[in-house]
Amino acid sequence: MPENSWPENDSYNEHRDAINRVSTKIDSLLSDGGDEIYDVSTLEELESDYFQGGSNRRRKAAIALTLIWASTIGLHLVSWGVWLVLGLTSLLSIQALRVLFARPRPVPSPLSEETRSNWPLVSLLVAAKNEEAVIARLVRNLCNLDYPVDRYEVWVIDDRSTDKTPLMLDQLAKEYSQLKVLRRGAGAGGGKSGALNQVLPLTKGEFVAVFDADAQVTPDLLRRVLPLFERQMVGAVQVRKAIANASLNFWTKGQAAEMALDSYFQQQRTAITGIGELRGNGQFVRRAALDRCGGWNEETITDDLDLTLRLHLDHWDIDFLNIPAVQEEGVTSAIALWHQRNRWAEGGYQRYLDYWRLIVSNRMGVLKTFDMFGFWIIQYILPTAGVPDCLMAIARHRPPVFSPLTGMALTLSLIGMTTGLRRIRRDEEQQQNFLLALSQTIRGTIYMFHWLIVMPSTTARISVRPKRLKWVKTVHQGSTDESFEF
């Protein structure tokens, strides 16, 4: 075994107490000042109240679904229902205008060669399971960054791979001194979150980055990301995600437009002190912030969305970097997209079900809470309410009561997607073409209608059937011209 490979017995068991950060450091998140110390019994009570999954989430989801349906039906039955919707639309339109007219924060200059000796230590983490198609490409990519070799480390957590991934990592560990491999045993749990928590005590970086196995980055990524942390309240930075195989078919082209829309909203929302969000692949987190928030939550499906909320509840900001992007493979079929987006939708719901008390207590502050409220209505509530709204509209022969809000949301999406696509081309110094961006927006909008099916069905399912937490793997294809010699 290479000298920079660690079996589970030498790491996980030895550092078990440090690894359980979610349960032992949750006091900093749930306490008002972040300095109180809770005893074991209090910690167990807090975990039970805020981090319990299973039937507790199912009960909350059922209550939420009942309220959404009942409220929507009620709005059709009262004469002032349409006025209430118009009032809500007007309120959210104020936030929409703030988003649209915001000026993105200026991007700081990359790290200068003159300060090379003071560049921070960074730990890059990759959780991998059966990734023989892409792992070698990623490791070589990360191990050849334009950054001092002694100032960053690459950790790959092999989560019981049964293909050639372990053999590839052994060979790559001999080739690159900064590559370190941690192998998980049969008893290790927690999915991706568990893998990241397991390796965290072994890492040394002041900043911790997480990448998916299919990621590809530019050599100057670290030099461009790290200056964003100069603002001390920035607890994390998300790099824009781009679809590497965007030209393949309708589904991948739609995902490319969706990523452009997401990048636009990320830039605009952070500019108005709103909610910046982590997206899993290409996320950088300040270790101090990660420690205060208790690491990655192993009781959630989407660790990135969960960590996003906990960082904001702990009064950290999440910034966004548009250029350069981290490339990733888009799913290539409707079935794969359906499974992936159902997981994303359920993970998004879980964070609201788990932390709703802290959210409504305005712990994040007025600006962030209002921003979260607006996008929660548009992204989660409106699609779910669309089902009873359409049924009542048909039964009563009148327009859907949420038509004004739907129109506002659609307009915001169209403007955001078009602007996002053009902004990316501008930042990448490509020729801008409004008609091209508009045609991509129309196709992307048609593609985005899948959320109108995903959100209601996910809401209904989690209300009646619990889901066993597991790491759902997205199959990566890699490039056909890649090879690896043993």
Side-chain angles (χ1 to χ4, degrees):
M1 180 178 294
E3 61 180 5
N4 48 350
S5 292
W6 278 259
E8 183 192 23
N9 289 340
D10 291 339
S11 59
Y12 182 66
N13 294 332
E14 180 181 354
H15 298 280
R16 182 61 187 174
D17 290 339
I19 294 167
N20 286 333
R21 295 171 187 269
V22 174
S23 61
T24 59
K25 291 194 174 183
I26 209 66
D27 56 320
S28 66
L29 171 63
L30 298 177
S31 62
D32 289 335
D35 296 325
E36 288 92 343
I37 303 298
Y38 293 91
D39 58 26
V40 175
S41 61
T42 307
L43 280 173
E44 291 175 349
E45 180 180 350
L46 291 175
E47 283 186 75
S48 175
D49 287 343
Y50 295 98
F51 295 93
Q52 186 178 23
S55 60
N56 195 31
R57 284 176 179 156
R58 180 175 55 176
R59 184 169 61 251
K60 294 176 184 177
I63 293 173
L65 181 62
T66 302
L67 289 175
I68 292 171
W69 274 68
S71 300
T72 303
I73 294 173
L75 289 172
H76 276 272
L77 298 178
V78 297
S79 59
W80 44 266
V82 64
W83 294 105
L84 183 62
V85 173
L86 287 172
L88 178 61
T89 304
S90 300
L91 181 65
L92 295 185
S93 294
I94 297 174
Q95 180 70 354
L97 291 173
R98 292 184 66 230
V99 169
L100 292 175
F101 288 101
R103 179 174 297 179
R105 286 197 180 107
V107 180
S109 300
L111 292 176
S112 171
E113 286 287 345
E114 298 177 356
T115 62
R116 190 180 185 90
S117 59
N118 296 323
W119 289 359
L121 183 61
V122 185
S123 299
L124 311 181
L125 312 184
V126 181
K129 183 179 181 69
N130 296 334
E131 298 287 4
E132 65 178 11
V134 293
I135 194 63
R137 181 185 62 183
L138 173 62
V139 168
R140 290 194 173 109
N141 188 208
L142 294 181
C143 289
N144 286 284
L145 298 178
D146 182 16
Y147 206 79
V149 174
D150 61 342
R151 302 304 298 165
Y152 81 101
E153 56 183 357
V154 180
W155 279 91
V156 178
I157 309 100
D158 177 21
D159 196 18
R160 296 160 289 177
S161 296
T162 57
D163 61 359
K164 295 179 181 178
T165 299
L167 295 176
M168 290 180 169
L169 292 175
D170 285 343
Q171 290 291 98
L172 292 165
K174 296 175 182 177
E175 185 177 349
Y176 297 103
S177 60
Q178 67 267 51
L179 173 62
K180 299 170 176 132
V181 181
L182 174 65
R183 306 194 186 282
R184 305 192 84 195
K192 180 180 178 181
S193 297
L196 296 175
N197 281 331
Q198 185 170 335
V199 80
L200 188 59
L202 301 178
T203 63
K204 302 176 182 178
E206 178 183 353
F207 302 100
V208 178
V210 179
F211 296 95
D212 289 344
D214 63 325
Q216 286 290 284
V217 301
T218 59
D220 62 344
L221 179 65
L222 296 184
R223 297 181 60 178
R224 289 181 175 271
V225 171
L226 295 175
L228 275 70
F229 285 100
E230 292 178 0
R231 196 161 58 91
Q232 291 303 309
M233 287 313 299
V234 173
V237 174
Q238 176 61 49
V239 178
R240 175 174 63 88
K241 298 203 302 181
I243 304 300
N245 56 342
S247 62
L248 186 61
N249 58 30
F250 170 80
W251 304 110
T252 56
K253 290 176 182 177
Q255 290 166 74
E258 183 181 22
M259 294 300 106
L261 175 64
D262 180 67
S263 67
Y264 172 79
F265 282 140
Q266 291 265 40
Q267 287 181 295
Q268 301 303 107
R269 294 173 72 184
T270 55
I272 60 172
T273 319
I275 298 291
E277 295 192 288
L278 298 176
R279 294 291 183 249
N281 190 17
Q283 66 179 28
F284 287 73
V285 187
R286 190 188 299 270
R287 180 181 288 271
L290 190 59
D291 287 342
R292 278 178 55 94
C293 290
W296 288 275
N297 185 0
E298 299 181 22
E299 294 298 322
T300 184
I301 295 175
T302 49
D303 57 277
D304 49 348
L305 297 180
D306 181 272
L307 182 57
T308 291
L309 198 45
R310 284 189 287 127
L311 285 168
H312 285 296
L313 289 169
D314 199 36
H315 307 296
W316 295 97
D317 291 336
I318 297 178
D319 215 332
F320 182 79
L321 182 67
N322 197 45
I323 298 292
V326 54
Q327 298 278 341
E328 67 178 24
E329 291 184 11
V331 294
T332 59
S333 67
I335 296 298
L337 183 72
W338 172 261
H339 289 302
Q340 184 187 69
R341 298 317 160 92
N342 270 271
R343 179 170 60 87
W344 290 6
E346 182 164 356
Y349 263 114
Q350 282 182 354
R351 58 178 174 169
Y352 296 116
L353 298 176
D354 289 348
Y355 305 106
W356 69 273
R357 295 186 223 182
L358 295 174
I359 295 172
V360 299
S361 68
N362 195 33
R363 184 184 177 92
M364 295 183 293
V366 174
L367 293 178
K368 286 187 177 181
T369 301
F370 185 47
D371 179 69
M372 173 166 283
F373 171 74
F375 279 86
W376 171 68
I377 291 290
I378 292 174
Q379 292 178 306
Y380 293 89
I381 301 303
L382 192 58
T384 304
V387 177
D389 193 15
C390 289
L391 292 176
M392 290 296 294
I394 294 172
R396 297 176 65 83
H397 305 288
R398 61 175 57 179
V401 71
F402 283 116
S403 294
L405 189 57
T406 302
M408 186 272 290
L410 182 59
T411 301
L412 184 62
S413 176
L414 289 170
I415 296 174
M417 191 176 294
T418 304
T419 307
L421 287 165
R422 299 190 70 197
R423 184 177 289 176
I424 290 171
R425 295 185 65 87
R426 181 201 66 195
D427 290 350
E428 292 180 346
E429 298 181 351
Q430 301 180 33
Q431 183 178 359
Q432 296 189 57
N433 187 317
F434 176 76
L435 292 179
L436 176 61
L438 183 60
S439 65
Q440 292 173 334
T441 297
I442 294 173
R443 180 176 55 212
T445 301
I446 296 172
Y447 156 88
M448 288 291 287
F449 278 112
H450 73 271
W451 281 111
L452 298 182
I453 303 174
V454 169
M455 296 307 304
S457 64
T458 299
T459 307
R461 179 180 56 77
I462 63 178
S463 300
V464 299
R465 181 170 63 87
K467 181 178 179 64
R468 184 170 65 89
L469 287 171
K470 61 181 179 178
W471 184 356
V472 180
K473 174 178 168 51
T474 299
V475 178
H476 299 135
Q477 303 298 326
S479 175
T480 56
D481 60 356
E482 292 182 38
S483 61
F484 191 91
E485 296 182 0
F486 291 98

